[in-house]
Amino acid sequence: MYFFAGEAQSMAYFVKHCAMAFLATITLPTISLGKCMLEGFDKGLPPAIGDEVDGGDGKFVWGSDLDRIDGRNRVWNFIRNTGQSPLNAMWRKADIRIDYAKPLPPGEVYCNRYWVKEISDSDIDDDAPIIYGNHNTSQRATVFRKVETAQESDGYFESAIDTAYAEVNGVVREVHVGFSYQVENNRITAMNLDAPSDVYVSIPGIGSSWSSDTLARFIQAAKENGAEFTSGKFTDFSPSWSDSLYFSGDPALKSPGYFTKGSIKNFGINSMASGSINGPMILFDSERKPIASGSVTIPVIK
C-alpha cells in the first residue's frame, strides 16, 4: 500500500486518512535504540505517512511524522530494517543517510527527530525517493517537507539520531547522539551534545551559524569535558574520499568541518539567539568510518 500526496487539499486529506489505515495494519517495533521508542511514533495529529517495502535489494518500513508539541513542530522520520540482510539507504529529502560501510542490521531502526517552523498538516512531499541496497534501488516515498529555518521561540529543543550497526565480531552496536539547547527570553542559556565516547560527531552548520567567540567557547567546553576536538576537510578526516563523498552526498561538505568525539555537557553561553537553522549532523566510528547522518536544529548565534 502506498499513499500519494501533495497534489491538492483533497489529496492531502486522502493521505492523512489512509495513513491512519497504514499505521493500523503495520506493527511498529517497540524496541528502544538509545532514546528512540517507536511505540511513541504518531501519537497525535496529523497522522504519520509510511509504507512497507519488499524488494530484491532490501526489505524495510519507512515513516514520516509531524508532532505538535507546545505550539512547536517536530518532524520524526525513521527506517526499520525488516529484511534478513544489512541495509544501506539514502533518503535525501528526509536527511537520512545510512552508510554502506556501517549498514543497518536486520531488525534494527534508524530514526531522526528535529524541529521545523511554519509547517502545515498538508505540507508533504510525495517526490522523496529512498535509494537503498547494493544496486541503488529507488523506492518512491513521501516525507513531511524539510524547512530550512526552525523556531526562534523560547523552549527546549533537542534533535537526535538513533541507529545501529554491526561490529566486526558481529555484535550489534546501538548509537544515540543528541544535540539540545535551551532558549529563555531569546537567549541561549545552555547547549549539550550527547554522544558515545568513541563516536565522532560533525555538525557542519556551526561554522557559518556561530560567532568566532561561540566556537571558541565550544572548543573550550570540549576540552573541559574530556572530548576530542579536531577540524579539517571531510575528505581528510574520513578514511577515503569515496566513503566521504558517498556518505555525505553534499558537495558543500568539501569545506572544512568540525569534529568532536564524546559528549559536551552544559555548554553555557548566555548569548542572544538570532533564529535557528536545520542542517546535517554526521556520525563516524572511532576509525572515522561514516555510520549515518540526519538533520539537527542548531541556534544561530552571531
Side-chain angles (χ1 to χ4, degrees):
M1 184 185 301
Y2 184 82
F3 310 121
F4 296 92
E7 296 181 7
Q9 287 295 327
S10 58
M11 183 60 73
Y13 179 87
F14 171 76
V15 169
K16 294 178 198 175
H17 287 77
C18 283
M20 291 181 179
F22 157 75
L23 291 168
T25 57
I26 293 180
T27 301
L28 296 177
T30 58
I31 60 174
S32 169
L33 289 116
K35 297 180 179 179
C36 180
M37 294 283 290
L38 280 185
E39 65 182 5
F41 186 81
D42 192 41
K43 289 300 184 181
L45 296 176
I49 305 164
D51 202 2
E52 291 180 289
V53 177
D54 188 356
D57 232 9
K59 184 178 180 181
F60 58 95
V61 175
W62 62 267
S64 182
D65 189 29
L66 172 64
D67 297 319
R68 309 290 191 188
I69 302 174
D70 298 329
R72 298 174 294 157
N73 310 308
R74 185 183 68 181
V75 170
W76 184 346
N77 299 316
F78 81 89
I79 292 177
R80 179 193 181 196
N81 184 359
T82 56
Q84 299 300 312
S85 301
L87 178 72
N88 62 280
M90 180 177 289
W91 191 2
R92 190 177 299 278
K93 288 190 176 180
D95 286 323
I96 290 178
R97 299 175 182 90
I98 304 168
D99 194 68
Y100 68 91
K102 298 288 184 180
L104 190 67
E108 298 295 336
V109 183
Y110 169 105
C111 67
N112 181 205
R113 293 159 290 168
Y114 59 95
W115 300 89
V116 297
K117 182 180 181 180
E118 296 177 355
I119 184 170
S120 67
D121 291 1
S122 59
D123 197 6
I124 47 184
D125 185 347
D126 71 341
D127 183 20
I130 300 172
I131 309 301
Y132 71 97
N134 294 331
H135 299 94
N136 292 330
T137 301
S138 180
Q139 170 62 45
R140 191 173 182 183
T142 298
V143 68
F144 281 95
R145 294 183 190 275
K146 178 184 177 184
V147 181
E148 295 294 342
T149 303
Q151 273 112 322
E152 303 174 13
S153 59
D154 287 1
Y156 176 75
F157 298 88
E158 180 182 18
S159 304
I161 294 175
D162 292 282
T163 189
Y165 65 89
E167 300 278 15
V168 176
N169 59 8
V171 175
V172 173
R173 169 76 184 278
E174 299 177 352
V175 177
H176 168 82
V177 174
F179 177 82
S180 62
Y181 63 96
Q182 182 75 36
V183 182
E184 297 179 6
N185 297 320
N186 207 38
R187 301 188 73 86
I188 309 296
T189 57
M191 292 193 285
N192 289 278
L193 176 63
D194 182 19
S197 60
D198 60 348
V199 171
Y200 286 97
V201 180
S202 179
I203 304 176
I206 66 176
S208 58
S209 302
W210 290 0
S211 65
S212 57
D213 179 64
T214 301
L215 278 172
R217 295 185 186 185
F218 180 72
I219 296 170
Q220 181 61 33
K223 295 178 180 178
E224 293 173 354
N225 280 263
E228 182 180 325
F229 178 87
T230 186
S231 61
K233 292 185 178 181
F234 282 84
T235 49
D236 294 332
F237 176 83
S238 195
S240 74
W241 165 256
S242 59
D243 275 354
S244 182
L245 181 63
Y246 178 91
F247 170 74
S248 70
D250 186 349
L253 299 186
K254 297 177 184 178
S255 302
Y258 303 91
F259 309 89
T260 60
K261 186 168 72 168
S263 295
I264 303 176
K265 300 289 188 180
N266 297 320
F267 167 37
I269 53 176
N270 193 30
S271 297
M272 292 295 295
S274 302
S276 52
I277 63 167
N278 294 327
M281 180 164 68
I282 308 170
L283 315 184
F284 300 85
D285 71 4
S286 59
E287 297 180 349
R288 302 188 176 188
K289 293 182 179 180
I291 300 171
S293 69
S295 193
V296 62
T297 305
I298 61 172
V300 176
I301 307 169
K302 293 294 187 179

mmCIF file of all heavy atoms in Angstrom, residues 65-93:
data_model
loop_
_atom_site.group_PDB
_atom_site.id
_atom_site.type_symbol
_atom_site.label_atom_id
_atom_site.label_comp_id
_atom_site.label_asym_id
_atom_site.label_seq_id
_atom_site.Cartn_x
_atom_site.Cartn_y
_atom_site.Cartn_z
ATOM 1 N N ASP A 65 6.588 11.594 10.260
ATOM 2 C CA ASP A 65 5.539 12.107 11.142
ATOM 3 C C ASP A 65 5.837 13.540 11.536
ATOM 4 O O ASP A 65 6.996 13.963 11.595
ATOM 5 C CB ASP A 65 5.445 11.227 12.401
ATOM 6 C CG ASP A 65 4.242 11.569 13.263
ATOM 7 O OD1 ASP A 65 3.222 12.025 12.705
ATOM 8 O OD2 ASP A 65 4.304 11.381 14.491
ATOM 9 N N LEU A 66 4.779 14.294 11.792
ATOM 10 C CA LEU A 66 4.868 15.657 12.293
ATOM 11 C C LEU A 66 4.139 15.732 13.615
ATOM 12 O O LEU A 66 2.959 15.370 13.708
ATOM 13 C CB LEU A 66 4.245 16.639 11.298
ATOM 14 C CG LEU A 66 4.088 18.093 11.756
ATOM 15 C CD1 LEU A 66 5.455 18.723 12.014
ATOM 16 C CD2 LEU A 66 3.315 18.906 10.717
ATOM 17 N N ASP A 67 4.826 16.161 14.668
ATOM 18 C CA ASP A 67 4.238 16.283 16.002
ATOM 19 C C ASP A 67 4.100 17.750 16.375
ATOM 20 O O ASP A 67 4.999 18.558 16.127
ATOM 21 C CB ASP A 67 5.121 15.598 17.056
ATOM 22 C CG ASP A 67 5.240 14.104 16.825
ATOM 23 O OD1 ASP A 67 4.222 13.479 16.482
ATOM 24 O OD2 ASP A 67 6.351 13.571 16.984
ATOM 25 N N ARG A 68 2.965 18.092 16.980
ATOM 26 C CA ARG A 68 2.757 19.435 17.538
ATOM 27 C C ARG A 68 3.000 19.350 19.037
ATOM 28 O O ARG A 68 2.277 18.657 19.750
ATOM 29 C CB ARG A 68 1.326 19.905 17.286
ATOM 30 C CG ARG A 68 0.858 19.798 15.830
ATOM 31 C CD ARG A 68 1.538 20.790 14.924
ATOM 32 N NE ARG A 68 0.896 20.838 13.603
ATOM 33 C CZ ARG A 68 1.369 21.505 12.572
ATOM 34 N NH1 ARG A 68 2.484 22.201 12.703
ATOM 35 N NH2 ARG A 68 0.737 21.489 11.415
ATOM 36 N N ILE A 69 4.027 20.045 19.526
ATOM 37 C CA ILE A 69 4.400 19.966 20.936
ATOM 38 C C ILE A 69 4.491 21.382 21.501
ATOM 39 O O ILE A 69 5.394 22.144 21.143
ATOM 40 C CB ILE A 69 5.746 19.239 21.109
ATOM 41 C CG1 ILE A 69 5.664 17.823 20.512
ATOM 42 C CG2 ILE A 69 6.140 19.180 22.578
ATOM 43 C CD1 ILE A 69 6.980 17.088 20.517
ATOM 44 N N ASP A 70 3.544 21.732 22.354
ATOM 45 C CA ASP A 70 3.535 23.054 22.994
ATOM 46 C C ASP A 70 3.650 24.180 21.967
ATOM 47 O O ASP A 70 4.416 25.141 22.143
ATOM 48 C CB ASP A 70 4.675 23.165 24.012
ATOM 49 C CG ASP A 70 4.541 22.168 25.146
ATOM 50 O OD1 ASP A 70 3.396 21.840 25.494
ATOM 51 O OD2 ASP A 70 5.573 21.714 25.666
ATOM 52 N N GLY A 71 2.896 24.053 20.878
ATOM 53 C CA GLY A 71 2.889 25.087 19.861
ATOM 54 C C GLY A 71 4.076 25.055 18.921
ATOM 55 O O GLY A 71 4.213 25.932 18.061
ATOM 56 N N ARG A 72 4.929 24.061 19.054
ATOM 57 C CA ARG A 72 6.099 23.925 18.189
ATOM 58 C C ARG A 72 5.938 22.676 17.319
ATOM 59 O O ARG A 72 5.081 21.839 17.573
ATOM 60 C CB ARG A 72 7.373 23.851 19.032
ATOM 61 C CG ARG A 72 7.615 25.119 19.857
ATOM 62 C CD ARG A 72 8.801 24.938 20.793
ATOM 63 N NE ARG A 72 8.522 23.930 21.812
ATOM 64 C CZ ARG A 72 9.476 23.252 22.462
ATOM 65 N NH1 ARG A 72 10.748 23.451 22.149
ATOM 66 N NH2 ARG A 72 9.164 22.384 23.388
ATOM 67 N N ASN A 73 6.791 22.547 16.310
ATOM 68 C CA ASN A 73 6.642 21.480 15.322
ATOM 69 C C ASN A 73 7.903 20.622 15.258
ATOM 70 O O ASN A 73 8.996 21.135 15.043
ATOM 71 C CB ASN A 73 6.402 22.076 13.931
ATOM 72 C CG ASN A 73 5.303 23.122 13.937
ATOM 73 O OD1 ASN A 73 4.204 22.890 14.407
ATOM 74 N ND2 ASN A 73 5.619 24.305 13.410
ATOM 75 N N ARG A 74 7.718 19.304 15.434
ATOM 76 C CA ARG A 74 8.853 18.388 15.351
ATOM 77 C C ARG A 74 8.587 17.324 14.295
ATOM 78 O O ARG A 74 7.528 16.710 14.261
ATOM 79 C CB ARG A 74 9.101 17.692 16.692
ATOM 80 C CG ARG A 74 10.356 16.823 16.691
ATOM 81 C CD ARG A 74 10.528 16.093 18.007
ATOM 82 N NE ARG A 74 9.489 15.085 18.194
ATOM 83 C CZ ARG A 74 9.392 14.315 19.280
ATOM 84 N NH1 ARG A 74 10.237 14.484 20.283
ATOM 85 N NH2 ARG A 74 8.432 13.418 19.382
ATOM 86 N N VAL A 75 9.566 17.135 13.426
ATOM 87 C CA VAL A 75 9.496 16.083 12.407
ATOM 88 C C VAL A 75 10.240 14.857 12.922
ATOM 89 O O VAL A 75 11.301 14.976 13.543
ATOM 90 C CB VAL A 75 10.103 16.564 11.077
ATOM 91 C CG1 VAL A 75 10.259 15.401 10.097
ATOM 92 C CG2 VAL A 75 9.231 17.646 10.459
ATOM 93 N N TRP A 76 9.674 13.696 12.651
ATOM 94 C CA TRP A 76 10.247 12.428 13.098
ATOM 95 C C TRP A 76 10.188 11.467 11.915
ATOM 96 O O TRP A 76 9.113 11.096 11.456
ATOM 97 C CB TRP A 76 9.449 11.900 14.282
ATOM 98 C CG TRP A 76 9.960 10.648 14.926
ATOM 99 C CD1 TRP A 76 10.888 9.787 14.446
ATOM 100 C CD2 TRP A 76 9.548 10.115 16.190
ATOM 101 N NE1 TRP A 76 11.091 8.751 15.311
ATOM 102 C CE2 TRP A 76 10.281 8.932 16.397
ATOM 103 C CE3 TRP A 76 8.630 10.526 17.157
ATOM 104 C CZ2 TRP A 76 10.121 8.147 17.544
ATOM 105 C CZ3 TRP A 76 8.477 9.742 18.281
ATOM 106 C CH2 TRP A 76 9.210 8.573 18.490
ATOM 107 N N ASN A 77 11.354 11.069 11.398
ATOM 108 C CA ASN A 77 11.445 10.130 10.280
ATOM 109 C C ASN A 77 12.189 8.873 10.720
ATOM 110 O O ASN A 77 13.115 8.951 11.534
ATOM 111 C CB ASN A 77 12.186 10.764 9.097
ATOM 112 C CG ASN A 77 11.486 12.003 8.567
ATOM 113 O OD1 ASN A 77 10.274 12.020 8.402
ATOM 114 N ND2 ASN A 77 12.257 13.054 8.300
ATOM 115 N N PHE A 78 11.805 7.725 10.166
ATOM 116 C CA PHE A 78 12.508 6.501 10.529
ATOM 117 C C PHE A 78 12.540 5.506 9.381
ATOM 118 O O PHE A 78 11.727 5.550 8.455
ATOM 119 C CB PHE A 78 11.867 5.841 11.763
ATOM 120 C CG PHE A 78 10.642 5.010 11.470
ATOM 121 C CD1 PHE A 78 10.759 3.651 11.154
ATOM 122 C CD2 PHE A 78 9.374 5.562 11.506
ATOM 123 C CE1 PHE A 78 9.636 2.883 10.871
ATOM 124 C CE2 PHE A 78 8.247 4.803 11.234
ATOM 125 C CZ PHE A 78 8.380 3.447 10.918
ATOM 126 N N ILE A 79 13.503 4.586 9.462
ATOM 127 C CA ILE A 79 13.585 3.400 8.609
ATOM 128 C C ILE A 79 13.861 2.208 9.512
ATOM 129 O O ILE A 79 14.796 2.246 10.319
ATOM 130 C CB ILE A 79 14.707 3.518 7.555
ATOM 131 C CG1 ILE A 79 14.357 4.596 6.518
ATOM 132 C CG2 ILE A 79 14.933 2.177 6.854
ATOM 133 C CD1 ILE A 79 15.455 4.816 5.480
ATOM 134 N N ARG A 80 13.056 1.165 9.384
ATOM 135 C CA ARG A 80 13.275 -0.072 10.132
ATOM 136 C C ARG A 80 13.611 -1.180 9.139
ATOM 137 O O ARG A 80 12.873 -1.421 8.191
ATOM 138 C CB ARG A 80 12.031 -0.466 10.928
ATOM 139 C CG ARG A 80 12.224 -1.771 11.710
ATOM 140 C CD ARG A 80 10.913 -2.312 12.239
ATOM 141 N NE ARG A 80 11.126 -3.530 12.998
ATOM 142 C CZ ARG A 80 10.171 -4.387 13.327
ATOM 143 N NH1 ARG A 80 8.925 -4.152 12.953
ATOM 144 N NH2 ARG A 80 10.442 -5.478 14.020
ATOM 145 N N ASN A 81 14.719 -1.839 9.367
ATOM 146 C CA ASN A 81 15.140 -2.938 8.501
ATOM 147 C C ASN A 81 14.380 -4.205 8.895
ATOM 148 O O ASN A 81 14.644 -4.807 9.944
ATOM 149 C CB ASN A 81 16.648 -3.157 8.629
ATOM 150 C CG ASN A 81 17.165 -4.218 7.670
ATOM 151 O OD1 ASN A 81 16.405 -4.811 6.905
ATOM 152 N ND2 ASN A 81 18.472 -4.463 7.706
ATOM 153 N N THR A 82 13.446 -4.632 8.054
ATOM 154 C CA THR A 82 12.651 -5.834 8.328
ATOM 155 C C THR A 82 13.141 -7.038 7.521
ATOM 156 O O THR A 82 12.515 -8.093 7.538
ATOM 157 C CB THR A 82 11.165 -5.578 8.010
ATOM 158 O OG1 THR A 82 11.043 -5.139 6.647
ATOM 159 C CG2 THR A 82 10.596 -4.511 8.928
ATOM 160 N N GLY A 83 14.251 -6.870 6.799
ATOM 161 C CA GLY A 83 14.792 -7.958 6.000
ATOM 162 C C GLY A 83 15.783 -8.811 6.771
ATOM 163 O O GLY A 83 15.969 -8.655 7.983
ATOM 164 N N GLN A 84 16.456 -9.689 6.035
ATOM 165 C CA GLN A 84 17.426 -10.604 6.634
ATOM 166 C C GLN A 84 18.869 -10.164 6.410
ATOM 167 O O GLN A 84 19.790 -10.794 6.930
ATOM 168 C CB GLN A 84 17.227 -12.010 6.035
ATOM 169 C CG GLN A 84 15.849 -12.599 6.284
ATOM 170 C CD GLN A 84 15.541 -12.739 7.762
ATOM 171 O OE1 GLN A 84 16.358 -13.250 8.532
ATOM 172 N NE2 GLN A 84 14.356 -12.272 8.175
ATOM 173 N N SER A 85 19.055 -9.079 5.653
ATOM 174 C CA SER A 85 20.397 -8.597 5.338
ATOM 175 C C SER A 85 20.564 -7.157 5.814
ATOM 176 O O SER A 85 19.583 -6.412 5.926
ATOM 177 C CB SER A 85 20.651 -8.665 3.832
ATOM 178 O OG SER A 85 20.510 -9.993 3.345
ATOM 179 N N PRO A 86 21.805 -6.724 6.095
ATOM 180 C CA PRO A 86 22.050 -5.323 6.461
ATOM 181 C C PRO A 86 21.572 -4.384 5.352
ATOM 182 O O PRO A 86 21.593 -4.744 4.176
ATOM 183 C CB PRO A 86 23.566 -5.264 6.639
ATOM 184 C CG PRO A 86 23.962 -6.676 6.952
ATOM 185 C CD PRO A 86 23.039 -7.537 6.144
ATOM 186 N N LEU A 87 21.158 -3.188 5.748
ATOM 187 C CA LEU A 87 20.549 -2.238 4.812
ATOM 188 C C LEU A 87 21.298 -0.915 4.816
ATOM 189 O O LEU A 87 21.501 -0.315 5.875
ATOM 190 C CB LEU A 87 19.083 -1.991 5.201
ATOM 191 C CG LEU A 87 18.302 -0.982 4.349
ATOM 192 C CD1 LEU A 87 17.995 -1.577 2.975
ATOM 193 C CD2 LEU A 87 17.001 -0.577 5.072
ATOM 194 N N ASN A 88 21.716 -0.456 3.631
ATOM 195 C CA ASN A 88 22.194 0.923 3.490
ATOM 196 C C ASN A 88 21.138 1.691 2.708
ATOM 197 O O ASN A 88 20.445 1.136 1.851
ATOM 198 C CB ASN A 88 23.542 0.983 2.770
ATOM 199 C CG ASN A 88 23.500 0.441 1.362
ATOM 200 O OD1 ASN A 88 23.535 -0.772 1.157
ATOM 201 N ND2 ASN A 88 23.426 1.331 0.367
ATOM 202 N N ALA A 89 20.990 2.973 3.017
ATOM 203 C CA ALA A 89 19.927 3.752 2.385
ATOM 204 C C ALA A 89 20.276 5.225 2.394
ATOM 205 O O ALA A 89 20.987 5.710 3.283
ATOM 206 C CB ALA A 89 18.603 3.529 3.100
ATOM 207 N N MET A 90 19.756 5.942 1.393
ATOM 208 C CA MET A 90 19.844 7.398 1.357
ATOM 209 C C MET A 90 18.460 7.943 1.042
ATOM 210 O O MET A 90 17.925 7.737 -0.043
ATOM 211 C CB MET A 90 20.849 7.878 0.314
ATOM 212 C CG MET A 90 20.957 9.407 0.270
ATOM 213 S SD MET A 90 22.206 10.009 -0.912
ATOM 214 C CE MET A 90 23.708 9.535 -0.064
ATOM 215 N N TRP A 91 17.874 8.601 2.020
ATOM 216 C CA TRP A 91 16.558 9.225 1.879
ATOM 217 C C TRP A 91 16.819 10.722 1.956
ATOM 218 O O TRP A 91 16.688 11.344 2.989
ATOM 219 C CB TRP A 91 15.640 8.748 2.995
ATOM 220 C CG TRP A 91 14.196 9.102 2.847
ATOM 221 C CD1 TRP A 91 13.593 9.760 1.828
ATOM 222 C CD2 TRP A 91 13.169 8.804 3.807
ATOM 223 N NE1 TRP A 91 12.249 9.887 2.073
ATOM 224 C CE2 TRP A 91 11.956 9.314 3.281
ATOM 225 C CE3 TRP A 91 13.148 8.161 5.041
ATOM 226 C CZ2 TRP A 91 10.753 9.211 3.966
ATOM 227 C CZ3 TRP A 91 11.954 8.047 5.722
ATOM 228 C CH2 TRP A 91 10.750 8.568 5.184
ATOM 229 N N ARG A 92 17.214 11.287 0.831
ATOM 230 C CA ARG A 92 17.781 12.638 0.835
ATOM 231 C C ARG A 92 16.828 13.688 1.389
ATOM 232 O O ARG A 92 17.226 14.556 2.171
ATOM 233 C CB ARG A 92 18.234 13.025 -0.577
ATOM 234 C CG ARG A 92 19.050 14.294 -0.636
ATOM 235 C CD ARG A 92 19.520 14.580 -2.041
ATOM 236 N NE ARG A 92 20.375 13.531 -2.569
ATOM 237 C CZ ARG A 92 21.680 13.441 -2.312
ATOM 238 N NH1 ARG A 92 22.248 14.338 -1.528
ATOM 239 N NH2 ARG A 92 22.394 12.484 -2.835
ATOM 240 N N LYS A 93 15.556 13.646 0.982
ATOM 241 C CA LYS A 93 14.625 14.692 1.418
ATOM 242 C C LYS A 93 14.209 14.537 2.880
ATOM 243 O O LYS A 93 13.613 15.449 3.455
ATOM 244 C CB LYS A 93 13.411 14.728 0.503
ATOM 245 C CG LYS A 93 13.745 15.304 -0.878
ATOM 246 C CD LYS A 93 12.509 15.576 -1.702
ATOM 247 C CE LYS A 93 12.873 16.235 -3.023
ATOM 248 N NZ LYS A 93 11.673 16.507 -3.865
#
